[in-house]
Amino acid sequence: MKPSLKDNDNLLFRWFFIGLKYFLLGLLGLVIALVVSHTLGANAIVGMLLSASLRLWVARIAIFLICLFAIAMIFESWG
């Protein structure tokens, strides 16, 4: 039996949720690496994980995902 609902997913929403999934998985991996390296006393790795350049890239990716979500919302409200 086929459902009568149509699959009208917006392509931008799919890209946003895929990007959000991998962004959050990456953040989780960074947090795990930070906790493990801090626990084991690897100060060089902790310094790299807390560097300003890494924070800048994380912020850029987060801002890109927020803009992608906003654009997807605008397109969805139009149609």
Side-chain angles (χ1 to χ4, degrees):
M1 180 175 208
K2 266 188 168 175
S4 62
L5 299 174
K6 285 183 170 180
D7 189 19
N8 289 338
D9 287 342
N10 191 346
L11 183 62
L12 289 174
F13 273 131
R14 274 194 237 143
W15 286 350
F16 167 72
F17 284 114
I18 289 171
L20 182 66
K21 177 177 83 171
Y22 288 116
F23 177 70
L24 292 176
L25 283 172
L27 278 180
L28 180 66
L30 285 173
V31 168
I32 290 171
L34 179 69
V35 168
V36 168
S37 62
H38 187 68
T39 304
L40 297 176
N43 292 330
I45 297 174
V46 172
M48 284 188 282
L49 291 173
L50 294 176
S51 67
S53 62
L54 184 65
R55 288 182 196 170
L56 182 66
W57 276 104
V58 169
R60 286 179 182 173
I61 294 170
I63 290 170
F64 173 76
L65 285 172
I66 290 169
C67 290
L68 185 64
F69 181 70
I71 291 169
M73 288 298 290
I74 290 170
F75 279 141
E76 187 68 27
S77 67
W78 251 342

